[in-house]
Amino acid sequence: QPRSTFLTTLYGRVLLGKLAAVLAVGALGFVNWRRPRLAAVLVELTIAFVVILALTAWISDLEPPSMAH
């Protein structure tokens, strides 16, 4: 069951965390586009560069789950 691997494997959980971080950056980007605030911009940049890059580095070191049946 491919969908269950997102919750049961470390690779899947890191991938879901990265997706959540990308969605958070998108939401903060929308907020900053509507009404820019320095604090929100700094949070957005921190999430974008530190968190997403760290998760990308981590996931590139993990082995994807096998899709074989």
Side-chain angles (χ1 to χ4, degrees):
Q1 296 180 351
R3 287 187 203 145
S4 67
T5 59
F6 283 114
L7 301 175
T8 58
T9 65
L10 179 60
Y11 184 90
R13 290 190 300 264
V14 173
L15 185 60
L16 288 175
K18 184 177 175 183
L19 177 62
V22 168
L23 291 175
V25 168
L28 285 170
F30 179 75
V31 168
N32 290 332
W33 174 67
R34 301 289 293 170
R35 188 171 50 177
R37 287 173 283 178
L38 181 59
V41 171
L42 293 176
V43 170
E44 179 185 2
L45 290 174
T46 300
I47 292 173
F49 289 114
V50 176
V51 175
I52 293 175
L53 286 176
L55 289 173
T56 301
W58 187 13
I59 203 168
S60 68
D61 194 40
L62 297 175
E63 184 175 329
S66 174
M67 298 304 280
H69 295 140

